[in-house]
Amino acid sequence: MDWGLKNRLSRIIKPKTGRTVMLAVDHGYFLGPTSGLEVIANTVQPLLPYADSLMLTRGALRTSVPAGFDIPIVLRVSGGTSILHDDLSNEDITTSMEEAIKLNVSAVAISIFVGSAHEKETLTNLAKLVTHGEACGIPVLAVTAVGREMSRDKKYLSLCCRIAAELGAHIVKTYYCDDFREVVNTCPVPIVIAGGKKVSEKDALKLAHNAISNGAVGVDMGRNIFQSDNPVGMIQAVRAIVHKNAMVEDAYGLYKNAKK
Ligand code: R5P
């Protein structure tokens, strides 16, 4: 792995703790104006001081994040489908590596849809992105998207994560599941978890705690932060779990006591 790629990775996974709190706000690329992200800048800007990196599309980045703000960017570079279609797997690469360099991003992110109609295209797109990214010193994060017909269990998620790593992904983003430790143990690159649909703050903190306790290097969380009634309190609570190994109750106390 070359210096530039390692350096960019270290901007995302913090060397001090070996962990990361990524803030995911890329939902609009197929969901449109998701609840909580209607005006991206209003949601994102108060959270930036507490995030280790920000995952979003180029359109959101250019319009809604001040270029002077020091936040590592994970650029969503796959898309091409919308929630109006049943099959979301028909994605392609939507941004060039040249543009990723121009935007000074720390990594690019692409979804893979294992077991879906367009499995092959999404996997070969990942492999091509890795080849191109490595030539430019830019790491690739693979997101294991789960189609409606797939179950989020150890067997399926291990399959997805391992394939992503074998194709060269430098970080894998997946979902937490029972026996998550086995998913981590069989994936040779770091894993971060998505938060998934909004649940109670305490349940979201339990999810983060379980994932970290079972080997995830962090979270790439969206809705359970920006749809919270106190997003700043919530991201601070998540940070305490990820970087300080805080217990769920202590983190929940941080969320409760944080000023809205
Ligand atoms: C989904 O395709 C996007 O990558 C989201 O950013 C991801 O699912 C994480 O967000 P959430 O925590 O809301 O699930």
Side-chain angles (χ1 to χ4, degrees):
M1 205 184 288
D2 78 1
W3 193 94
L5 197 143
K6 273 191 201 165
N7 178 260
R8 285 190 172 92
L9 268 180
S10 75
R11 296 204 70 214
I12 299 168
I13 301 172
K14 298 298 172 191
K16 199 169 167 191
T17 59
R19 302 248 175 97
T20 184
V21 175
M22 304 170 67
L23 177 63
V25 293
D26 59 327
H27 306 61
Y29 90 93
F30 72 102
L31 289 174
T34 313
S35 170
L37 282 181
E38 292 87 349
V39 181
I40 304 164
N42 292 354
T43 304
V44 165
Q45 291 186 15
L47 297 172
L48 290 181
Y50 308 99
D52 293 321
S53 69
L54 185 63
M55 177 173 168
L56 75 180
T57 59
R58 64 178 173 183
L61 178 64
R62 294 190 301 217
T63 56
S64 309
V65 181
F69 204 96
D70 183 19
I71 180 99
I73 298 299
V74 177
L75 189 70
R76 156 71 64 177
V77 299
S78 71
T81 60
S82 86
I83 193 68
L84 298 181
H85 287 268
D86 284 339
D87 179 13
L88 290 172
S89 71
N90 195 8
E91 287 196 352
D92 212 332
I93 295 174
T94 52
T95 315
S96 68
M97 199 57 74
E98 289 71 20
E99 180 156 24
I101 295 165
K102 214 167 93 180
L103 291 169
N104 195 29
V105 307
S106 296
V108 290
I110 180 172
S111 290
I112 58 169
F113 293 78
V114 174
S116 66
H118 297 277
E119 172 186 278
K120 181 184 172 186
E121 291 91 332
T122 64
L123 293 179
T124 51
N125 280 341
L126 166 62
K128 286 177 202 158
L129 195 67
V130 169
T131 302
H132 203 176
E134 288 185 349
C136 301
I138 297 193
V140 176
L141 179 149
V143 180
T144 67
V146 180
R148 288 191 192 96
E149 64 286 5
M150 306 294 165
S151 53
R152 293 181 187 185
D153 59 17
K154 174 190 72 178
K155 194 173 171 198
Y156 176 69
L157 295 176
S158 301
L159 175 75
C160 299
C161 292
R162 180 60 174 266
I163 289 172
E166 298 260 356
L167 293 177
H170 305 95
I171 311 176
V172 176
K173 169 177 172 173
T174 194
Y175 291 93
Y176 183 74
C177 62
D178 290 342
D179 301 318
F180 187 72
R181 175 66 70 177
E182 285 182 49
V183 179
V184 172
N185 286 347
T186 55
C187 178
V189 299
I191 288 184
V192 293
I193 59 139
K197 282 188 182 153
K198 174 78 175 72
V199 292
S200 74
E201 276 71 11
K202 193 171 272 184
D203 283 348
L205 294 174
K206 277 184 199 158
L207 176 79
H209 188 269
N210 285 340
I212 295 295
S213 307
N214 285 289
V217 300
V219 300
D220 187 9
M221 196 176 263
R223 289 163 288 180
N224 278 290
I225 292 173
F226 64 71
Q227 291 178 351
S228 168
D229 62 358
N230 186 353
V232 169
M234 193 57 188
I235 197 170
Q236 287 178 303
V238 171
R239 278 197 81 76
I241 288 172
V242 170
H243 285 298
K244 295 185 175 163
N245 295 314
M247 301 306 287
V248 172
E249 284 302 329
D250 296 333
Y252 187 67
L254 287 176
Y255 152 73
K256 287 293 272 183
N257 296 329
K259 207 172 158 200
K260 285 192 186 178

